[in-house]
Amino acid sequence: MEDELIIALPKGRILDEALPLLAAAGIEPEAALFDDSSRALKFATNLPGVSLIRVRSFDAATFVAFGAAHIGIAGNDVLMEFGYSEIYSPVDLGIGRCRLSVAEPAEQAKDDDPRSWSHVRVATKYPNVTRAHFAGRGVQAECVKLNGAMELAPALGLTSRIVDLVSSGRTLVENGLVEVEKIADVSSRLIVNRAAFKMRAGEIGALVERFRQVAGDAAAA
Amino acid sequence: MTNAITQGLLPEGLRDRLPPQAEAAANLLRGLLDSVAAHGYERVQPPLVEFEDSLVGRLGSARRQDLLRFIDPVSGANLALRHDMTGQVGRIAATRLAHYARPLRLAYGGPVLRVRGDQLRPERESIQAGAELIGRDSVAAVAEVLQLAVEALTQTGLSGLTVDITLPQFVGELAAGPWPLAGARLADVQAALDAKDIAALRSVGADRYDALISAAGRADAALAKLAALGLTGRLATMLDDAAAVIAALGDTPATLDPTERHGFEFQSWIGFAIFAAGVRGEVGRGGAYTIVHPDGREEPAVGFSLYVDGLVDAGLGEVKHRRILLPLGTATEAGTRLRAEGWATVAALDDAGDARAFRCTHVWNGVEAVPL
C-alpha cells in the first residue's frame, strides 16, 4: 500500500469538470465513481497503483496537506483559507472558475462607503481569508462561520455582509445582494503534497507534466 | 467558558512519552550524536532559556511572537525558551569559542519549544539534534555535513531517504540579473514560487519563472533543465556547486528545487531537506548560512538539524529488552550475573509479583531463565 498513489477529488460540480481532464491525462476511474448512489469513497483507476478518493472540496486540500493523498484538485479559495505550507499547486486547471467576493444587500450598498469602515460583521465559509482581507485594509472583520446558504445571513439579520464564491451572480441577485468587492479570482488547481513531490519526483513529476499539457491544451482550445 | 483542568490533561501541543517510546527517543538522540561525534563533532549544551534579545534576530531564529517569553524575576529582563538550537550554537561559536581554530565542528541535541503549533504539526515541544561546521561553506564542507546527516539517519534504521537540494539565493540573483521582474515585487514572486503556484506567478507577471517550477524534480533532470537556461556568472557557479554536492551524495536519491524557501530564508547559497519513507514531512534539514560575530564580522557555516520525534513516531529506536523477574529471595550474585549478560532484572519485593504484569519476558527459577 505504501506505493499506492492517491488522488483526492472534490465532490460535485468540480468533479464533473475535472473528469475530462483526468481522462485526457490518461486516468480513467472505475465506473462506481460515476454512480451517485455508490457509497464507496475510494475508487480504482485504469492505472495500477493509482486510486481516487472523492471528498468535500475543503477536505481534498487537507488530505493532500497531510500527505494522506499525494495529489488532488482544489480551488485557490480553499488553499488561501487553509494556507497550508505543504501544498504545491503547480497547474492551474482552468476549471471551476469564479471569484471570491464581498456582497451586501443592494439597499445598504447604495450609501455605503467602504473607505469609512472600521469593523464589519461577515458571514462566510472563509473566515481566515476574510479576516486577512479586511485586516489588510485596516478593517477588523468579525466572522460568523457558515457552511452554506450564506445569502440568507443579511436578509435575516445575522450579519450585514457575506464573503462567498460568486460565478454568475444570479444567487446574489435573487437574494437582493450586490457584489461590492472582489477578493480573489478562483479556479481549480492541481495540488501536490510537498514531501510526495520530493520523494516520488519521477512519477509525480511526469503526472504533473501531463496535467500541464492537458490544462494548456484546454486553455488554448 | 473555561473547562476545569482534569487530572493528567496537558497543555495543547505537549505530551508525555512513555515506555517504550521514551527510551526510543533517548536511544535515537544518543545514536545520532554518536554518529556525528565519530566524525569529530564535539558536543555543546546551550541552556534551555536565554535572554529574549539574544534568541531573536539570530539566524534561524523566529520572530518574537514565536517564542514563549516571560520576565525573569531575578534580573527583570525578558527571557525566552529556545525554539531552535542552531542560533545558540552560532552564538557559542562567535563568542566563547571564537578563538578556536576553524573549521570548528560542533554537535548538540535537546528539547526545543515553539509557542504555537499549526494544524499540520500541532506539537509545540520537540527534540532537535544537529551538527554545525563553522568557518567554511564550501562544496567540500556542505558535502561533509550532508553525508554526515545521511549517515546518522541511516544508522537509526531509517530507509528510503531522499535529499532535496534548494538554492535559496537563486531567485534573488536571477531577479537582480538576467531575469528582471518588470514591476513585480520579489517577495510576491518568491511566495508564488514557494507554493509552486503557477497561476499566482502569472498574476504578478513573472511567467518566465515558471521554468524554475517545471525544473524542480529529480536532480539529474533538474540540473539538465537548469543548464539549458544558459545562465552565467554566479548563477552558473551555484548550479555547478549544487551538482558537485549532489554527486557527493552517491547512491542517495536527490532532487533539486531551485526556488524552495520553506524555512530556508536564513540559508545562504544552499539548503537541503531530508525526507524518508514512513515519516510524514521532513526528518531533517540544513544548509549554509552566515554567523555574525559581536564585532559585526561575518563567518560562513553549514549544518543540519534532525527531528527525533518523527523517527520515534515511525517506530525507530525501540530496543527489545530481555526482561526477567527475580523472585523474592534470589541471590544478589544471580542478578548481577544476569545484568552482565544483558538482562534487565526486575526484583520482586514481595510474593505478589505477576511477571507478565511487570512486562517481563522471563522468570528466574534459581537456575535458569524460564521464558513466559
Side-chain angles (χ1 to χ4, degrees):
Chain A
M1 290 305 274
E2 177 94 332
D3 291 335
E4 190 178 21
L5 189 83
I6 310 246
I7 305 180
L9 300 177
K11 285 182 193 173
R13 187 172 55 89
I14 306 290
L15 182 62
D16 298 335
E17 290 185 61
L19 288 172
L21 294 179
L22 283 173
I27 301 171
E28 304 273 1
E30 64 173 309
L33 183 80
F34 304 99
D35 178 2
D36 286 338
S37 63
S38 167
R39 302 185 73 84
L41 297 170
K42 190 172 162 199
F43 307 91
T45 67
N46 60 322
L47 303 179
V50 178
S51 299
L52 304 176
I53 57 170
R54 193 174 61 183
V55 295
R56 284 169 176 267
S57 61
F58 276 68
D59 296 345
T62 301
F63 272 90
V64 173
F66 281 83
H70 306 95
I71 295 183
I73 292 179
N76 55 315
D77 53 328
V78 173
L79 299 178
M80 285 165 68
E81 176 63 16
F82 284 130
Y84 284 131
S85 60
E86 300 300 301
I87 290 184
Y88 291 146
S89 48
V91 185
D92 184 348
L93 295 171
I95 57 174
R97 283 196 188 282
C98 55
R99 53 195 184 273
L100 188 63
S101 291
V102 186
E104 61 184 24
E107 200 57 25
Q108 175 185 326
K110 261 190 274 175
D111 40 27
D112 189 18
D113 184 351
R115 286 172 301 183
S116 56
W117 294 347
S118 70
H119 168 266
V120 291
R121 241 170 101 90
V122 186
T124 183
K125 215 158 118 179
Y126 304 90
N128 294 330
V129 174
T130 302
R131 265 193 292 270
H133 171 73
F134 283 104
R137 30 178 293 191
V139 177
Q140 184 208 126
E142 182 192 327
C143 296
V144 177
K145 169 90 195 271
L146 293 180
N147 292 309
M150 243 64 64
E151 295 80 3
L152 282 173
L156 300 181
L158 183 60
T159 63
S160 52
R161 295 180 180 84
I162 67 170
V163 164
D164 200 8
L165 296 179
V166 181
S167 50
S168 68
R170 213 180 64 225
T171 321
L172 289 182
V173 172
E174 283 169 4
N175 286 282
L177 300 171
V178 290
E179 195 178 342
V180 289
E181 210 179 354
K182 183 178 83 177
I183 296 178
D185 285 311
V186 174
S187 60
S188 294
R189 313 291 166 85
L190 183 80
I191 58 173
V192 183
N193 173 264
R194 176 168 169 256
F197 189 91
K198 312 289 186 193
M199 294 192 60
R200 306 174 71 163
E203 184 187 0
I204 287 180
L207 207 51
V208 167
E209 201 46 51
R210 288 223 289 278
F211 274 101
R212 270 173 169 251
Q213 276 164 15
V214 168
D217 294 347
Chain B
M1 187 184 75
T2 49
N3 291 322
I5 297 174
T6 49
Q7 282 265 331
L9 179 70
L10 292 170
E12 200 174 302
L14 298 171
R15 61 174 163 187
D16 291 325
R17 285 233 186 257
L18 303 179
Q21 284 86 11
E23 195 183 354
N27 280 338
L28 287 164
L29 181 59
R30 191 168 57 235
L32 293 170
L33 290 170
D34 285 350
S35 290
V36 298
H39 287 266
Y41 286 73
E42 295 175 286
R43 182 129 181 218
V44 290
Q45 193 174 5
L48 195 55
V49 173
E50 283 199 34
F51 290 117
E52 179 189 349
D53 286 340
S54 63
L55 283 175
V56 177
R58 251 172 216 295
L59 96 168
S61 71
R63 302 160 300 170
R64 276 177 206 279
Q65 60 265 37
D66 296 327
L67 294 170
L68 187 65
R69 297 171 290 166
F70 55 96
I71 293 175
D72 180 11
V74 177
S75 65
N78 283 327
L79 304 185
L81 271 89
R82 65 181 177 211
H83 86 293
D84 185 287
M85 293 176 76
T86 316
Q88 293 186 302
V89 175
R91 172 181 58 71
I92 290 173
T95 55
R96 270 174 268 291
L97 297 184
H99 61 291
Y100 272 46
R102 278 11 187 195
L104 176 62
R105 293 175 168 91
L106 300 176
Y108 56 89
V112 293
L113 190 116
R114 51 184 187 157
V115 79
R116 65 179 71 79
D118 51 44
Q119 200 183 353
L120 290 175
R121 278 174 297 272
E123 307 81 26
R124 293 202 277 176
E125 185 189 10
S126 53
I127 303 171
Q128 184 183 13
E132 309 294 327
L133 193 158
I134 294 135
R136 304 280 187 278
D137 68 350
S138 59
V139 168
V142 174
E144 170 178 321
V145 159
L146 198 42
Q147 283 164 345
L148 187 54
V150 169
E151 182 187 314
L153 287 169
T154 306
Q155 163 275 134
T156 66
L158 205 58
S159 62
L161 290 180
T162 300
V163 176
D164 186 44
I165 303 285
T166 66
L167 300 171
Q169 294 174 336
F170 197 75
V171 173
E173 288 276 335
L174 264 181
W179 291 16
L181 304 172
R185 283 175 42 222
L186 180 61
D188 292 337
V189 174
Q190 285 180 318
L193 288 169
D194 258 350
K196 302 211 189 309
D197 185 342
I198 298 233
L201 207 53
R202 288 191 189 128
S203 76
V204 298
D207 303 37
R208 192 174 189 183
Y209 284 80
D210 186 1
L212 300 182
I213 296 182
S214 41
R218 280 210 290 233
D220 45 355
L223 283 168
K225 284 184 191 169
L226 292 168
L229 298 176
L231 300 167
T232 55
R234 202 166 124 70
L235 289 158
T237 310
M238 275 188 203
L239 293 177
D240 290 344
D241 289 350
V245 168
I246 289 161
L249 275 169
D251 293 339
T252 309
T255 52
L256 175 63
D257 189 334
T259 70
E260 180 124 305
R261 288 184 312 164
H262 267 282
F264 292 111
E265 289 83 351
F266 75 91
Q267 307 286 11
S268 57
W269 73 275
I270 193 166
F272 56 84
I274 306 174
F275 298 87
V279 181
R280 182 155 62 82
E282 300 165 2
V283 290
R285 61 159 56 205
Y289 57 92
T290 302
I291 291 173
V292 181
H293 285 250
D295 60 5
R297 185 168 60 88
E298 295 190 343
E299 183 173 28
V302 53
F304 64 80
S305 293
L306 305 175
Y307 309 121
V308 175
D309 301 270
L311 306 180
V312 177
D313 294 343
L316 297 170
E318 287 182 27
V319 182
K320 286 271 173 280
H321 285 292
R322 292 189 304 163
R323 196 171 150 91
I324 189 164
L325 184 77
L326 306 182
L328 205 57
T330 302
T332 316
E333 300 73 40
T336 307
R337 204 184 74 231
L338 285 166
R339 282 190 293 277
E341 288 169 5
W343 291 89
T345 60
V346 179
L349 298 181
D350 47 51
D351 282 332
D354 170 2
R356 281 194 186 82
F358 297 135
R359 293 167 298 286
C360 290
T361 53
H362 294 72
V363 177
W364 180 248
N365 68 359
V367 182
E368 56 179 2
V370 182
L372 290 173

